[in-house]
Amino acid sequence: MEENQITSLSISEDLYGLYTATARELPEPDLHILTSGALRIPVHSSILASVSPVLENMIDRPRKHRSSERVIPILGVPRDAVVAFLRFLYSSRCTAEELEKYGIHLLAMSHVYYVPQLKQRCSKVLVERLTIENVVDVLQLARMCDAPDLYVKCMKLVANHFKAVEKTEGWQFLQDHDPWLELQILQFMDEAESRKKRTRRLREAQSTYLELSEAMECLEHICTEGCTSVGPYDAEPKKKKKEPCSKFSMCEGLQQLFRHFATCKKRVNGGCLRCKRMWQLLRLHASICDQPDSCRVPLCRQFKLKMQQQEKRKDDARWKLLVRKVVSAKAISSLALPKRKRSDQELQLQDQTHKHGIRSFIF
């Protein structure tokens, strides 16, 4: 008992984490915290009650005997961890060494006694120190202590390194004693894989819409200005230009499609797939174009009139959805351009579309 008292006095000298002058102004302690090893730590009930509502309820609980000494036990964790916990209650400070050494215990105490600031700091430190070996133990603690950020980080680490995690002792213990958590982990992994597949499909679809949007821009560019070998009859093809346009890979494919479309003999009977693709591109342009009377793309006005006559057909719902997706992709890609370059392109396009009517093309 004498050894415990001596230890208590030596710890209490630096317990509060306050400056010496401030510590001397504190009144006499009126409460003791009992830790493992029968260590009794003198503390101030008013300070503990102001920081932790759980401790406040324990302090206000009526005693059986008024003359009995007030003692609150905090057992099951190292006594140095309790000292670090109490020091945080007094000074709102905790050293990096204490967090690294007693982070798990401090997280448990901050949850039990409801100290959110300490709980947040412990969760952050534990996230930084997650490893394959300790992730299962920390995951169980995060679930019991209601630490969502730490829980998700643990789940992601397990999902990303599952083959290594399932070889650890923690995973073996989990399988034997907590099958419900094992099921939650497997469900999380299945949902994560489903999200990856869904995201991959969305990216592929968005890439397709962006390509169609780029094709619409190239179509207008070829029909308005002309490119290397195809263009309107009154615009000289840019054969002498050393460098191709910025989207030449797309323009070159469209020019080849134009040349084939102009000379193909099967398109009359609808038996040519390349011609069908050209018809679809022209129809898509007409669906997007808002200036059909002055547009120089072939058949734009005719397609627009035909679509107005058939707009009540139910089988066009998928086509209208495609048009909306392409328009959205075009808006997103235009927003990615610098503001000055975007406005210059818009003015140039407006000038060109108002100046000319539909003309013939040269190949």
Side-chain angles (χ1 to χ4, degrees):
M1 186 67 180
E2 182 179 354
E3 182 181 355
N4 291 337
Q5 291 177 351
I6 293 173
T7 306
S8 174
L9 290 174
S10 64
I11 291 176
S12 65
E13 290 176 0
D14 189 38
L15 168 65
Y16 310 125
L18 304 172
Y19 295 108
T20 305
T22 306
R24 290 176 180 175
E25 294 176 0
L26 293 174
E28 289 294 325
D30 57 348
L31 179 69
H32 282 83
I33 300 296
L34 179 64
T35 72
S36 301
L39 175 66
R40 299 165 68 89
I41 304 176
V43 292
H44 303 83
S45 60
S46 58
I47 294 178
L48 268 59
S50 65
V51 179
S52 168
V54 177
L55 289 173
E56 181 182 14
N57 292 334
M58 297 176 69
I59 292 169
D60 293 340
R61 187 181 302 164
R63 291 173 290 171
K64 294 182 179 180
H65 305 285
R66 292 185 178 180
S67 60
S68 62
E69 185 180 20
R70 293 199 295 179
V71 177
I72 295 179
I74 301 182
L75 307 174
V77 294
R79 64 183 187 179
D80 289 341
V82 178
V83 172
F85 175 68
L86 295 174
R87 187 179 292 117
F88 184 87
L89 297 184
Y90 273 85
S91 62
S92 297
R93 293 196 301 269
C94 203
T95 65
E97 182 181 356
E98 290 172 337
L99 287 171
E100 182 175 3
K101 190 174 182 179
Y102 303 113
I104 292 178
H105 306 96
L106 290 172
L107 176 64
M109 287 187 286
S110 64
H111 172 70
V112 171
Y113 298 105
Y114 195 72
V115 185
Q117 292 181 347
L118 179 59
K119 185 176 181 179
Q120 186 176 6
R121 290 187 60 182
C122 292
S123 297
K124 185 177 180 180
V125 170
L126 290 174
V127 165
E128 295 172 354
R129 288 167 173 75
L130 279 177
T131 64
I132 299 296
E133 295 297 328
N134 69 6
V135 64
V136 175
D137 296 331
V138 177
L139 176 60
Q140 291 176 302
L141 179 66
R143 184 183 62 165
M144 290 187 294
C145 294
D146 191 22
D149 293 341
L150 181 59
Y151 180 84
V152 172
K153 292 290 184 181
C154 292
M155 281 289 198
K156 289 182 177 180
L157 181 60
V158 172
N160 294 333
H161 302 86
F162 182 71
K163 290 185 178 180
V165 171
E166 65 178 350
K167 296 178 182 178
T168 62
E169 295 182 2
W171 180 259
Q172 301 298 328
F173 181 86
L174 180 71
Q175 286 184 309
D176 296 336
H177 299 87
D178 198 345
W180 177 246
L181 181 56
E182 180 187 4
L183 178 61
Q184 288 181 324
I185 293 172
L186 297 177
Q187 287 177 341
F188 179 88
M189 293 172 59
D190 183 65
E191 292 172 0
E193 186 63 26
S194 299
R195 283 194 298 269
K196 287 181 181 179
K197 292 180 180 179
R198 187 164 58 251
T199 302
R200 193 180 303 116
R201 288 196 299 269
L202 290 174
R203 287 178 179 174
E204 291 174 355
Q206 187 65 20
S207 177
T208 302
Y209 300 140
L210 286 172
E211 288 181 2
L212 287 172
S213 173
E214 186 176 336
M216 294 299 100
E217 293 178 4
C218 290
L219 186 63
E220 294 179 10
H221 160 64
I222 293 172
C223 297
T224 305
E225 302 173 351
C227 201
T228 54
S229 60
V230 179
Y233 82 96
D234 58 347
E236 183 181 356
K238 300 178 181 179
K239 294 181 180 179
K240 298 181 181 179
K241 189 175 180 181
K242 295 182 179 180
E243 296 182 0
C245 64
S246 60
K247 299 178 181 179
F248 182 69
S249 60
M250 178 67 71
C251 276
E252 186 180 24
L254 282 176
Q255 289 180 84
Q256 294 176 0
L257 202 58
F258 261 116
R259 286 194 293 268
H260 171 82
F261 186 73
T263 58
C264 181
K265 298 179 180 180
K266 294 182 180 180
R267 66 184 175 90
V268 178
N269 299 323
C272 180
L273 294 177
R274 296 183 68 186
C275 290
K276 286 182 179 180
R277 189 178 306 166
M278 190 67 203
W279 282 113
Q280 290 173 341
L281 289 175
L282 293 174
R283 181 188 176 191
L284 180 60
H285 164 79
S287 301
I288 296 173
C289 182
D290 56 354
Q291 296 175 337
D293 294 332
S294 58
C295 180
R296 305 193 67 179
V297 177
L299 305 177
C300 179
R301 188 169 182 272
Q302 287 85 341
F303 269 117
K304 183 73 73 173
L305 292 173
K306 186 176 181 180
M307 285 185 291
Q308 289 176 355
Q309 295 172 359
Q310 299 177 349
E311 61 181 1
K312 294 183 179 180
R313 290 176 55 181
K314 296 182 179 179
D315 57 350
D316 282 351
R318 295 180 63 183
W319 180 263
K320 291 179 181 178
L321 177 61
L322 173 64
V323 172
R324 287 198 299 269
K325 295 289 187 181
V326 174
V327 171
S328 176
K330 184 177 181 180
I332 293 173
S333 62
S334 65
L335 289 175
L337 293 173
K339 185 176 180 180
R340 181 178 298 177
K341 185 176 180 180
R342 185 166 66 245
S343 52
D344 290 344
Q345 286 184 352
E346 291 172 355
L347 291 174
Q348 184 180 7
L349 181 60
Q350 289 176 5
D351 180 67
Q352 291 166 349
T353 52
H354 284 294
K355 186 177 179 181
H356 301 283
I358 302 176
R359 303 290 179 86
S360 301
F361 286 80
I362 55 175
F363 299 94

